[in-house]
Amino acid sequence: MTSIGGAASSGMVDWNLAVATATRLMRPGPDVSRDEARAVVAELRRHAKASEEHVRGFTRLGTEETHDTPLLVVDRPGWVRANVAGFRELLKPLLDKMQERRGTSPGNAVLGAVGGKVTGVELGMLLSFLASRVLGQYETFAPATRDLPAGANGAGRLLLVAPNIVHVERELDVEPHDFRLWVTLHEETHRTQFTAVPWLRDHLEGEIQSFLEETDVDPMTVLERVREAAQSLVGGRPEGEEGDDGHSLVELVQTPAQREILGRLTAVMSLLEGHADFVMDGVGPAVVPSVAEIREKFQQRRAKGASRLDMALRKLLGLDAKLRQYRDGERFVRAVVEEVGMDGFNRVWTSPNTLPTKAEIAKPADWITRVHRKPEA
């Protein structure tokens, strides 16, 4: 197995063990022949290429030259490896801080080695759960590894998870070619957002690092939250305990500064996800014949979720919040475009100061007033 970033373990988390655990526990993908798998990969690549032009034309963002990030069509283990590499890069400052807080005595070193393996196993369990659910992802913070290329100068990469796309198109009983193009339109919008707006990645990274710098929690608290999630995954939540009473990993937020940063991050993620849904629906009718059927069935799937276990994990991992981001962000984008047009909406990408606040996501008219209309003297 390829080592993630070199050493087999890294202090608080044994990253390679996380990859191995996730790979061992993840569900098998749909039953496809080798020839069918090759055909799916080839079609997803064609759709991704076509989606670039569709998205650029609809959003009026970017040029052909701005798309310098690689497209990777991956299986579930490939998705896990890519995300572990990204997590390791992004969380390094926080984990280093936790390592320093724990101390460097011999006893703590032994505890650290054991704790790193425990955390690696439990992170792997969570990733095994998510690996069967993600259809695609623009990896904003994506360090290049030996088998996972990334864009130049820290740029990201676009991942399409082929077995998951095939699984969902079969589950929904929709036209496969239409569904694959529909998915790539959403993910290509994310790639366009970051490649056409060069400051966006650095802004997000700065916000996340500021958030992590404010973190001052006991390492055992973090481990306990991960353990809660892992126990839910294997049915370890006590019978009769409602999922809504559990803690989200996001609820490690403790300080006023963190809450302020999280509010800004929530607004940006709502904008990005809502914009992708808006573009997908805007482009869809012209190029995806069965888009109405796909959207209806997919929305029903999003809304109902799966089992009680699935619902508990959604809350614990903050996935319920992500579903709200799709809805709230799409309403914001639609309202702004209807009022000031696409070019007027695109002023949102001018600078961090023109990004909507969390309150403005809920009240688009307030963003329009702030950005487009000078207050009366």
Side-chain angles (χ1 to χ4, degrees), residues 94-352:
L94 173 63
L95 296 179
D96 287 348
K97 180 178 179 179
M98 292 169 67
Q99 184 83 24
E100 290 173 8
R101 178 169 177 169
R102 190 175 56 194
T104 57
S105 69
N108 282 335
V110 172
L111 278 175
V114 174
K117 291 188 180 301
V118 171
T119 309
V121 168
E122 291 171 341
L123 177 60
M125 293 168 71
L126 295 180
L127 288 170
S128 74
F129 170 81
L130 294 171
S132 63
R133 285 160 171 76
V134 177
L135 301 182
Q137 174 186 359
Y138 183 75
E139 262 204 303
T140 314
F141 310 104
T145 65
R146 189 172 64 190
D147 56 347
L148 290 167
N153 301 317
R157 54 184 166 232
L158 180 61
L159 305 179
L160 296 173
V161 191
N164 295 351
I165 293 172
V166 172
H167 171 79
V168 173
E169 71 193 25
R170 290 179 179 179
E171 179 186 316
L172 298 181
D173 190 25
V174 292
E175 210 290 316
H177 305 294
D178 285 2
F179 184 74
R180 294 166 194 174
L181 177 55
W182 189 73
V183 170
T184 59
L185 285 170
H186 182 101
E187 303 307 333
E188 181 57 43
T189 301
H190 287 316
R191 176 156 64 167
T192 297
Q193 290 163 347
F194 282 95
T195 55
V197 186
W199 56 264
L200 185 57
R201 179 192 180 278
D202 289 342
H203 172 70
L204 268 182
E205 183 175 25
E207 292 278 56
I208 292 170
Q209 293 304 332
S210 294
F211 179 90
L212 295 178
E213 286 169 9
E214 287 286 330
T215 300
D216 189 26
V217 296
D218 182 80
M220 291 308 297
T221 304
V222 178
L223 297 180
E224 183 57 33
R225 294 293 167 84
V226 175
R227 190 164 293 114
E228 282 184 41
Q231 287 173 348
S232 292
L233 183 60
V234 297
R237 183 181 296 277
E239 188 65 30
E241 182 179 335
E242 293 299 324
D244 284 347
D245 294 334
H247 295 288
S248 165
L249 293 175
V250 176
E251 291 171 357
L252 288 170
V253 178
Q254 297 293 327
T255 70
Q258 281 184 313
R259 285 191 287 271
E260 185 177 327
I261 296 167
L262 186 61
R264 294 196 298 267
L265 284 170
T266 299
V268 175
M269 297 313 297
S270 296
L271 171 70
L272 298 179
E273 295 295 356
H275 184 235
D277 265 13
F278 178 78
V279 172
M280 187 166 57
D281 286 347
V283 174
V287 298
V288 182
S290 59
V291 65
E293 177 192 2
I294 290 172
R295 168 55 99 180
E296 180 181 1
K297 290 183 174 180
F298 196 76
Q299 288 288 65
Q300 290 173 353
R301 182 179 184 270
R302 267 185 185 171
K304 74 179 182 180
S307 64
R308 179 169 172 264
L309 169 61
D310 191 64
M311 292 172 66
L313 274 166
R314 282 172 183 252
K315 175 175 174 57
L316 198 60
L317 299 174
L319 299 183
D320 280 345
K322 187 174 179 66
L323 295 180
R324 288 194 296 274
Q325 287 168 7
Y326 284 112
R327 294 193 303 268
D328 297 346
E330 197 274 341
R331 281 196 293 263
F332 170 85
V333 176
R334 186 172 302 280
V336 172
V337 172
E338 287 176 355
E339 182 70 19
V340 298
M342 185 63 76
D343 289 336
F345 165 78
N346 281 340
R347 288 184 64 175
V348 79
W349 311 116
T350 304
S351 75

Side-chain angles (χ1 to χ4, degrees), residues 21-58:
T21 301
T23 303
R24 185 175 68 252
L25 296 179
M26 69 181 55
R27 299 175 183 177
D31 186 18
V32 296
S33 68
R34 183 170 296 181
D35 286 344
E36 184 180 4
R38 288 197 185 104
V40 170
V41 170
E43 183 173 26
L44 287 173
R45 291 188 177 281
R46 288 196 303 274
H47 283 332
K49 185 64 178 175
S51 293
E52 291 182 24
E53 185 175 348
H54 294 318
V55 171
R56 284 200 306 270
F58 184 80

